[in-house]
Amino acid sequence: MITRPDPDQLLEKIQLDDAKQKRGRLKIFFGGCAGVGKTFAMLSAAKIIYRENIDVIVGIIETHGRADTERQLEGLPLLPRKTMLYRGRDLTEFDIDAALIRKPALILIDELAHSNVEGSRHPKRWQDVEELLAAGIDVYSTLNVQHLESLNDVVGQITGVRVAETLPDKVFNLADEVTLVDLSPEELLRRLQDGKVYIPQQAEQAKKNFFRKGNLIALREMALRRTADRVDAQMREYRADQSIKPIWQAHDRILVAVGSGNEAEQLVRATARLAASLKADWLAVYVETPALQKLTDAARDAILKTMRLAQDLGAETATLSGTEISTVLLDYARSRNVSKLVVGKPSRSLISRFFSPSVTDLLARDAIDVDIHIVVRQDETKKEYQPNIAIRTAFGLSNEQASQIKKRGYIWALVASIVASILSNLLLHFFELSNLIMLYLLGVMLISAKFGRGPGLFASVLSVSAFDFFLVPPRFSFSIADTQYLLTFVVMFSVSLVISNLTSNLRYQAVVANYRERRSRVLYDLGKQLASALTSSHIVEISTHHLAGIFQSKIAIVLPNSHDKLQEQQADLANSKIATVDTGISQWVYDHQEEAGLGTNTLPSSAKLYLPLKAPMRTRGVLAIEPETISEIFLPEQRQLLDTFAAQIGLALERVHYVEVARDALINMESERLRNSLLSAISHDLRTPLTSILGISGILKAQADASNTDFNDNQVSMINALYEQTFRMQQLVINLLDMARIQSGKVQLNRQWQMLEEVVGTSIRMMRPTLVKHQINVSIPVDLPLLQFDAVMIERVLCNLLDNACKYTPENSVVNITAIKNGTDVWVSVADNGPGLPPDRELQIFDKFTRGEKESAKPGVGLGLSIGQAIIQAHDGKIWAETQIPHGALFIFSLPIGTPPTMPALEEISAEISAETSEQVKE
Amino acid sequence: MTEHTNTIIVIEDERQIRRFIIASLENAGLQVYSAETGQQGLIEVGTRKPDTVVLDLGLPDMEGVEVIMQIRSWSTVPIIVLSARTDEAEKVKVLDAGADDYLIKPFGSAELLARIRAQLRRRSLATEGNSNNGLFMFGEITVDLTRRLVSKGAEPVHLTPIEFRLLTVLIRNTGRVVTQRQLLKDVWGPSFVESSHYLRIYMGHLRQKLEADATQPKYLMTETGVGYRLVN
């Protein structure tokens, strides 16, 4: 007995829970039959929630004119329905796009099993619901038991009415909540009588057909049973969750082998029921042998349909290939840890199975650790085997050509027997009859080998007849005196059969080999060309060209731009190989990474199939294909080929993408390097002469300021002006270089935990020469937290603000620097009591080359504030200006506080170190 | 005290700058020798035994850092670096190589003279040795290095062991820019060289206790992005 939880199972549960948290929750109001009050119950539940101020909306509700329900609907907000034109009639349908945009907390959607009007995004309403859930919207919906896929045939048998609208059991099983709405058959019939379910005329009709008491009881039982199963499963899950009692069972896994016959569907449904009752996972596989590849398209479509049904019923499906079905099945079963294998009952007689055992017999013989369940087949019809179109087209033969060849075969059979007859007549006198028959045999053999079974058999009949007629005495008559020639006849017939079979097999294998070779050749060709493609447009061109040829279809490939939006089609639309794509669908495919359009679950009415071009990292684009004949892309091997191509194109696009990324990075690096060297060169070349000018004017100024100066007053004032202007020019050069550095790329911040007062101090010191005539007050709280910033950059900001403050205020003005904690930010303000800012230009002044006063005599180019803004924004802060009352300008910038580093036991560390160092000192 | 004329060597390749430096230093009564290249400069420093070297980083023949390291291999003469490059990493590199101070171009002659005087003072202090009994003074502050006592005016100031250590390292390097890394290593130990916020906080404490206005310090100066300097 296993006593601890199976880790795989636990992991699976955790993953499921995770996925569930992000998804919306689905609650199903489940009933045995129409009219039990599911919609009513759903609306009542929704109303309670709506009263709690939760955003509820009615997506779609069919009241069927029921008064109770309509009353209940009042007061709930309705989502407008979409009107769709279908066969000349306007039909209203649930508008999934509106719902996704509106994004309510909860949406009500009646009739989960409903089929949407053709032309909607999804063929089924439950697929709409899936998309809503995936978008995180909770959904309430209703469902009748007869719509459940696995019960569909059972209900059909009981009631004689089979509904076309079915819901995969998986959806029901994975619903977060199921509420059973139950009503006794008597009550239901009474309600029907009262006209509460259908309007009276319909009610009478319904009562005769569907609403018979027996039906109602059966349906009710099924609904109850199904709900009970769910409750039971929940109970078990709960126990597993809470580990109340270790009842871990080995997990059953069932494998069903799907064949080609009609009975496959029953087989699948039976397995689904078996799996449900055993709470087991199940797999459906189809093993394709060379013989099965010869099936007609219709038969293969039927298999595909069965596989899709299995998928809808919750199975994992796989198509395997091999020559011996039983071996492949058993290998697969073993690899997937399957405990039960379900197969159909063999249909052939015991004797034929003795010579060529059926799959079931082989399985029974070889299976070691797997139980074999044999399901009885019902109606059995012989299938006609015809060579498959795809193979034939691959071989280059059309139906007509094939029949022409056959016709020629019969003529040749006639010719062969005539030639044999003439020859043997000529040779009759030289050879024995028993030797002459060899000539006929040769003819039969050649015909069989060349033209197959039909002409071969025809030739053998002709040959025996001719031999009998011309050669066997009595000659020129059919009377067989000697019955021993009967043996000749049988032998010839068998030889013809054996040889024609051998040849046809041989030819078939040649065709398959040919097909495989062609396939690998086209793959190789495309791969080779894609490998040499250097740009994505080149890849698109190559792929379009190749695929159009291989699939006889129109192709389009759309690529996304840098914002994950697919680009408009650039290609020449007149080109017959290019399909026009629907931007909406292709964007959907790109966003959801799922296929859509023709033959899929999403927008199947489109004439094109849209495939996402998936690459390892992400989807790289969308491939649209518009086939001339559907079979070109929907036969499994063609589809497989198409998928392989899509993957290859995706890979090629990704490769090119990374090449581009690498090149961009290289270019960036190079231009960064160039920019830096240019900047430092300019910086050097500007600073060097400026240093001389500043230095020399400084010396002159010192001399002019001295008491025993040689200069006259005029010269002194000129020297002072020279010095002042040089000093301003120095500021300007610094600002210009800073701006160039900041503008040229990312501001490289050296963010460290700093004390604001330190930076304020250094800024004031730096600006001291300009600030001599102003009074500066600083007010920074002692307990201000450390802030993470680049000290040099913030110093720049403060210097510029101080520079502005003294530039635009008269002498002796007061400049206040204040810092306060404001929520999660620290606000630093530089305020003056000058004239203030020009009105309404509080924002504009941060633009480059914008100055407070136009054409003013004040120096500067208006770079200071925009540099400040760039720096503060790089620090995730904000900078703005205000006008003070009564007058004065106020500049504030904010810096986020973040989480300063902890300084645990700083004093202890210091104490420890000081103890240590004092010891060292002693030594 | 004998009259000693301080000797300065200026290593600078730009003629105009060299001229103005020489002019302003000679005006201030200093003996100036100049060199245009690094090699020439090294010879001058070796033969003239200067009191301070003014070195431009952008020399045609050698890396400025290389010149500093060569001088440092045999001399402790103060070196003031002139540079047109503003980035802090460059400053730190130069200071770590052994320079005592740096000036960013363009600079004023007054600024250069002030820096040179600070270095000369430091040098004379070092040569005078412990003549003032381990007492160090700046502004109102008196630091008794042997008795580990600090006073502001007449008032004793209590410093924690860490604060005192920080102060002594700065005193030992008066006038010099000490890089953050160096301070962290000397005060806290080699494993704390990345914890620069420790330094900032303790520097803040020191200023609160010793400076008249902590936001506008007169002695404990910050060299933004580089380190600290004690000015007296």
Side-chain angles (χ1 to χ4, degrees):
Chain A
M1 171 149 171
I2 306 157
T3 52
R4 71 190 168 80
D6 171 10
D8 284 344
Q9 208 171 6
L10 274 182
L11 189 69
E12 205 171 300
K13 195 169 153 26
I14 289 165
Q15 281 167 347
L16 261 178
D17 284 351
D18 265 7
K20 266 187 191 167
Q21 269 178 4
K22 281 179 231 121
R23 278 170 68 88
R25 295 175 59 81
L26 173 63
K27 179 170 181 170
I28 296 178
F29 292 83
F30 185 52
C33 166
V36 293
K38 299 177 301 295
T39 308
F40 185 86
M42 174 168 79
L43 287 169
S44 310
K47 271 207 158 162
I48 293 167
I49 290 177
Y50 184 64
R51 270 185 223 121
E52 290 166 9
N53 275 333
I54 288 168
D55 188 13
V56 179
I57 195 164
V58 176
I60 191 159
I61 296 277
E62 300 294 348
T63 57
H64 299 294
R66 294 170 196 162
D68 291 353
T69 315
E70 269 168 10
R71 254 199 310 284
Q72 198 67 324
L73 193 57
E74 281 164 23
L76 285 171
L78 299 175
L79 187 77
R81 295 189 188 187
K82 188 162 65 176
T83 310
M84 299 185 78
L85 191 69
Y86 179 64
R87 295 195 182 154
R89 285 170 57 204
D90 274 341
L91 294 175
T92 58
E93 191 53 88
F94 169 58
D95 190 349
I96 181 168
D97 290 309
L100 284 170
I101 292 164
R102 169 76 172 67
K103 205 169 192 314
L106 171 65
I107 191 163
L108 308 188
I109 293 179
D110 212 3
E111 304 278 345
L112 192 54
H114 173 82
S115 298
N116 288 333
V117 177
E118 211 167 288
S120 305
R121 179 184 304 175
H122 300 295
K124 297 283 186 180
R125 185 170 285 167
W126 64 265
Q127 290 164 329
D128 289 344
V129 169
E130 282 286 307
E131 199 167 333
L132 290 171
L133 292 172
I137 301 170
D138 291 351
V139 179
Y140 279 10
S141 192
T142 62
L143 179 72
N144 281 332
V145 71
Q146 76 258 36
H147 292 296
L148 272 179
E149 182 77 66
S150 67
L151 295 175
N152 186 262
D153 57 342
V154 181
V155 174
Q157 277 167 17
I158 294 170
T159 61
V161 180
R162 210 159 158 172
V163 287
E165 305 187 324
T166 57
L167 178 81
D169 289 47
K170 201 172 64 179
V171 180
F172 179 80
N173 293 339
L174 288 179
D176 299 276
E177 227 178 301
V178 170
T179 299
L180 179 71
V181 182
D182 188 33
L183 197 67
S184 67
E186 291 80 7
E187 183 73 17
L188 181 60
L189 284 171
R190 197 154 45 240
R191 286 185 53 168
L192 193 68
Q193 201 80 50
D194 297 348
K196 282 182 177 165
V197 178
Y198 289 111
I199 35 180
Q201 304 93 298
Q202 282 184 341
E204 211 41 50
Q205 189 68 27
K207 220 173 131 184
K208 275 189 199 137
N209 296 328
F210 193 73
F211 283 78
R212 279 173 309 193
K213 198 168 175 184
N215 282 357
L216 294 182
I217 292 169
L219 287 172
R220 187 184 183 204
E221 189 199 335
M222 259 185 286
L224 285 168
R225 213 177 257 264
R226 197 56 209 252
T227 318
D229 284 352
R230 240 191 91 91
V231 173
D232 187 43
Q234 275 172 348
M235 186 61 204
R236 255 198 261 179
E237 217 172 282
Y238 176 76
R239 291 186 136 184
D241 249 4
Q242 309 288 322
S243 299
I244 288 179
K245 202 177 165 193
I247 40 162
W248 297 90
Q249 299 174 342
H251 214 58
D252 262 333
R253 193 171 272 167
I254 303 171
L255 181 89
V256 57
V258 174
S260 55
N262 280 350
E263 68 292 342
E265 198 181 315
Q266 287 164 0
L267 196 61
V268 164
R269 284 185 201 280
T271 315
R273 281 194 294 272
L274 180 66
S277 65
L278 291 172
K279 305 275 173 294
D281 291 343
W282 65 292
L283 316 156
V285 296
Y286 166 56
V287 182
E288 199 168 51
T289 58
L292 286 173
Q293 276 189 338
K294 287 193 261 182
L295 290 182
T296 57
D297 292 346
R300 303 185 84 196
D301 282 350
I303 292 167
L304 286 184
K305 226 175 102 192
T306 314
M307 295 296 275
R308 199 163 292 167
L309 172 74
Q311 211 162 16
D312 285 348
L313 287 170
E316 186 185 318
T317 58
T319 304
L320 310 171
S321 59
T323 46
E324 192 59 69
I325 296 181
S326 61
T327 334
V328 175
L329 273 179
L330 284 174
D331 282 350
Y332 189 70
R334 221 160 280 140
S335 76
R336 295 301 306 268
N337 239 343
V338 166
S339 52
K340 291 181 171 55
L341 210 159
V342 179
V343 286
K345 182 173 167 281
S347 53
R348 284 176 297 139
S349 74
L350 211 60
I351 297 169
S352 87
R353 277 158 59 198
F354 179 78
F355 290 106
S356 131
S358 75
V359 174
T360 313
D361 298 326
L362 289 172
L363 281 174
R365 193 188 66 196
D366 299 336
I368 301 165
D369 40 13
V370 180
D371 302 343
I372 310 285
H373 289 239
I374 298 174
V375 172
V376 178
R377 306 182 185 211
Q378 291 174 1
D379 46 294
E380 188 90 28
T381 45
K382 277 278 172 196
K383 302 249 111 194
E384 232 180 289
Y385 283 22
Q386 267 186 13
N388 171 342
I389 288 184
I391 302 295
R392 246 194 343 255
T393 40
F395 196 50
L397 293 178
S398 73
N399 254 334
E400 276 170 36
Q401 279 172 312
S403 68
Q404 221 159 10
I405 287 177
K406 273 254 156 78
K407 228 180 270 170
R408 244 188 298 150
Y410 288 109
I411 294 166
W412 276 109
L414 192 65
V415 172
S417 40
I418 290 170
V419 170
S421 302
I422 292 169
L423 273 177
S424 38
N425 268 318
L426 292 176
L427 299 170
L428 185 59
H429 303 293
F430 310 102
F431 294 97
E432 284 280 314
L433 267 188
S434 55
N435 288 330
L436 287 176
I437 196 146
M438 290 301 158
L439 283 174
Y440 286 96
L441 195 58
L442 180 68
V444 168
M445 202 188 76
L446 286 175
I447 294 295
S448 301
K450 181 80 180 150
F451 300 104
R453 190 158 27 175
L457 290 180
F458 181 61
S460 53
V461 172
L462 278 182
S463 300
V464 173
S465 314
F467 180 64
D468 188 10
F469 189 76
F470 293 113
L471 302 174
V472 178
R475 289 180 69 191
F476 307 109
S477 86
F478 278 119
S479 67
I480 302 169
D482 215 339
T483 43
Q484 61 172 315
Y485 291 108
L486 215 55
L487 179 69
T488 321
F489 183 75
V490 170
V491 166
M492 225 181 249
F493 223 82
S494 317
V495 164
S496 143
L497 265 178
V498 166
I499 288 181
S500 62
N501 259 343
L502 274 178
T503 0
S504 82
N505 268 347
L506 206 65
R507 190 178 303 142
Y508 174 74
Q509 273 161 18
V511 170
V512 169
N514 190 320
Y515 173 76
R516 288 213 175 115
E517 195 239 302
R518 196 179 76 113
R519 188 178 139 153
S520 49
R521 197 178 59 232
V522 290
L523 269 172
Y524 170 74
D525 283 351
L526 182 66
K528 199 170 71 177
Q529 292 209 23
L530 284 180
S532 63
L534 291 176
T535 61
S536 17
S537 61
H538 198 184
I539 290 178
V540 169
E541 201 180 298
I542 292 171
S543 320
T544 311
H545 178 78
H546 266 256
L547 266 63
I550 295 162
F551 294 104
Q552 304 293 316
S553 309
K554 289 181 175 180
I555 305 286
I557 291 171
V558 255
L559 304 178
N561 60 17
S562 51
H563 307 294
D564 267 0
K565 290 273 166 250
L566 290 179
Q567 288 164 351
E568 291 294 318
Q569 237 176 324
Q570 299 285 334
D572 170 20
L573 294 180
N575 189 335
S576 62
K577 281 178 185 168
I578 309 256
T580 45
V581 291
D582 181 317
T583 326
I585 307 178
S586 45
Q587 186 67 48
W588 189 91
V589 169
Y590 181 73
D591 292 342
H592 289 72
Q593 308 195 5
E594 275 173 37
E595 54 194 41
L598 190 63
T600 64
N601 284 336
T602 311
L603 291 165
S605 56
S606 165
K608 292 157 211 116
L609 172 67
Y610 294 83
L611 292 173
L613 297 172
K614 287 188 204 163
M617 296 309 291
R618 52 176 302 179
T619 306
R620 295 282 164 200
V622 172
L623 168 73
I625 179 162
E626 183 180 359
E628 270 167 24
T629 48
I630 291 179
S631 63
E632 283 292 349
I633 56 173
F634 285 104
L635 292 170
E637 57 267 43
Q638 292 290 92
R639 202 38 230 278
Q640 223 175 358
L641 192 61
L642 187 59
D643 286 343
T644 316
F645 278 135
Q648 240 187 357
I649 297 167
L651 268 178
L653 285 171
E654 184 150 289
R655 176 180 61 79
V656 167
H657 169 77
Y658 281 120
V659 167
E660 279 166 11
V661 165
R663 199 175 46 211
D664 283 356
L666 206 69
I667 290 171
N668 267 343
M669 256 163 62
E670 194 57 28
S671 60
E672 180 74 28
R673 207 178 56 79
L674 203 69
R675 205 156 44 213
N676 279 339
S677 56
L678 190 70
L679 266 176
S680 65
I682 291 175
S683 168
H684 181 264
D685 287 1
L686 277 173
R687 280 169 198 275
T688 306
L690 204 57
T691 310
S692 309
I693 301 171
L694 192 71
I696 293 165
S697 61
I699 295 170
L700 284 175
K701 187 174 151 54
Q703 285 172 2
D705 287 350
S707 50
N708 57 345
T709 176
D710 300 335
F711 299 115
N712 62 35
D713 285 357
N714 198 13
Q715 285 168 323
V716 168
S717 71
M718 282 200 315
I719 289 167
N720 278 335
L722 175 67
Y723 181 75
E724 262 170 48
Q725 293 304 316
T726 315
F727 191 77
R728 282 195 180 132
M729 189 164 163
Q730 170 196 354
Q731 291 292 320
L732 178 63
V733 165
I734 292 171
N735 266 345
L736 272 174
L737 289 173
D738 276 353
M739 196 68 212
R741 211 191 313 277
I742 289 166
Q743 290 287 308
S744 69
K746 296 134 243 160
V747 186
Q748 288 287 332
L749 291 184
N750 171 24
R751 290 179 86 157
Q752 292 194 357
W753 292 100
Q754 305 276 1
M755 292 190 60
L756 188 70
E757 60 167 36
E758 202 164 74
V759 184
V760 170
T762 54
S763 312
I764 294 173
R765 196 176 87 213
M766 278 178 76
M767 297 310 290
R768 183 63 71 197
T770 31
L771 289 171
V772 278
K773 285 168 185 151
H774 287 74
Q775 189 195 331
I776 294 172
N777 298 324
V778 181
S779 147
I780 296 172
V782 184
D783 62 342
L784 196 75
L786 290 178
L787 293 173
Q788 200 181 26
F789 58 76
D790 185 326
V792 179
M793 293 282 181
I794 295 297
E795 190 180 273
R796 200 71 252 134
V797 176
L798 281 166
C799 283
N800 285 340
L801 290 180
L802 286 171
D803 190 38
N804 268 356
C806 80
K807 240 183 339 202
Y808 292 104
T809 55
E811 287 179 7
N812 300 319
S813 298
V814 180
V815 180
N816 288 315
I817 304 175
T818 319
I820 48 161
K821 215 171 127 178
N822 191 332
T824 56
D825 291 335
V826 164
W827 285 15
V828 183
S829 63
V830 176
D832 63 55
N833 60 353
L837 301 166
D840 305 327
R841 292 191 61 187
E842 281 91 349
L843 286 175
Q844 231 183 329
I845 52 173
F846 289 101
D847 291 346
K848 239 179 291 174
F849 307 115
T850 301
R851 302 185 50 209
E853 290 167 33
K854 277 187 184 164
E855 306 297 327
S856 80
K858 305 240 164 69
V861 287
L863 271 177
L865 286 179
S866 71
I867 290 176
Q869 191 175 34
I871 292 173
I872 295 296
Q873 280 170 357
H875 280 86
D876 308 318
K878 271 195 295 239
I879 185 165
W880 67 97
E882 287 171 15
T883 304
Q884 291 200 98
I885 295 166
H887 56 85
L890 172 64
F891 288 91
I892 303 176
F893 64 84
S894 68
L895 289 171
I897 290 177
T899 42
T902 46
M903 305 267 291
L906 249 179
E907 281 303 319
E908 282 151 51
I909 293 170
S910 60
E912 211 173 281
I913 289 169
S914 69
E916 209 175 280
T917 45
S918 57
E919 271 165 40
Q920 284 172 352
V921 168
K922 273 176 212 160
E923 284 165 15
Chain B
M1 203 182 260
T2 51
E3 189 64 38
H4 169 71
T5 315
N6 286 309
T7 309
I8 314 289
I9 289 180
V10 178
I11 311 173
E12 164 68 79
D13 60 323
E14 284 289 330
R15 200 164 62 90
Q16 295 304 335
I17 295 179
R18 201 166 62 228
R19 217 174 99 184
F20 115 72
I21 292 175
I22 293 170
S24 49
L25 296 189
E26 277 175 350
N27 271 353
L30 298 164
Q31 173 79 48
V32 187
Y33 298 99
S34 67
E36 281 180 48
T37 62
Q39 286 301 341
Q40 205 185 330
L42 284 173
I43 295 166
E44 290 285 337
V45 175
T47 52
R48 308 270 181 200
K49 303 282 176 213
D51 297 292
T52 296
V53 176
V54 176
L55 169 69
D56 177 40
L57 273 194
L59 293 173
D61 62 333
M62 287 174 81
E63 282 284 319
V65 175
E66 179 62 23
V67 179
I68 297 171
M69 294 207 298
Q70 291 213 17
I71 294 176
R72 275 286 165 269
S73 61
W74 42 264
S75 168
T76 57
V77 61
I79 303 173
I80 298 175
V81 166
L82 306 176
S83 170
R85 293 185 59 177
T86 50
D87 57 319
E88 279 61 42
E90 177 75 14
K91 294 176 192 169
V92 171
K93 201 168 105 189
V94 168
L95 291 169
D96 280 343
D100 296 87
D101 203 349
Y102 68 89
L103 265 178
I104 295 294
K105 291 176 184 176
F107 53 87
S109 52
E111 183 71 26
L112 177 62
L113 264 177
R115 301 288 176 100
I116 289 175
R117 289 217 175 91
Q119 294 306 325
L120 292 175
R121 209 164 31 241
R122 188 165 83 84
R123 199 166 159 74
S124 64
L125 209 75
T127 47
E128 281 160 32
N130 295 333
S131 58
N132 41 8
N133 302 324
L135 282 186
F136 185 85
M137 276 171 280
F138 58 95
E140 293 183 280
I141 310 292
T142 312
V143 184
D144 187 334
L145 290 168
T146 42
R147 289 162 61 206
R148 302 174 82 95
L149 289 177
V150 182
S151 59
K152 185 176 180 181
E155 293 288 310
V157 179
H158 174 74
L159 294 187
T160 65
I162 284 270
E163 286 163 7
F164 189 81
R165 259 190 89 68
L166 183 56
L167 187 59
T168 45
V169 174
L170 286 170
I171 287 174
R172 210 160 55 222
N173 293 288
T174 312
R176 266 192 93 193
V177 180
V178 191
T179 58
Q180 290 173 7
R181 226 183 142 76
Q182 190 63 43
L183 281 170
L184 284 163
K185 206 175 100 189
D186 287 0
V187 179
W188 279 270
S191 55
F192 288 83
V193 289
E194 300 302 330
S195 316
S196 61
H197 55 280
Y198 285 25
L199 181 57
R200 294 200 187 96
I201 285 173
Y202 276 90
M203 212 58 206
H205 291 173
L206 266 187
R207 284 194 186 122
Q208 294 287 351
K209 288 177 180 175
L210 304 181
E211 293 277 2
D213 180 355
T215 53
Q216 298 181 52
K218 287 204 175 82
Y219 309 106
L220 300 163
M221 306 304 242
T222 309
E223 295 294 328
T224 309
V226 178
Y228 294 92
R229 177 214 308 267
L230 178 68
V231 178
N232 64 346

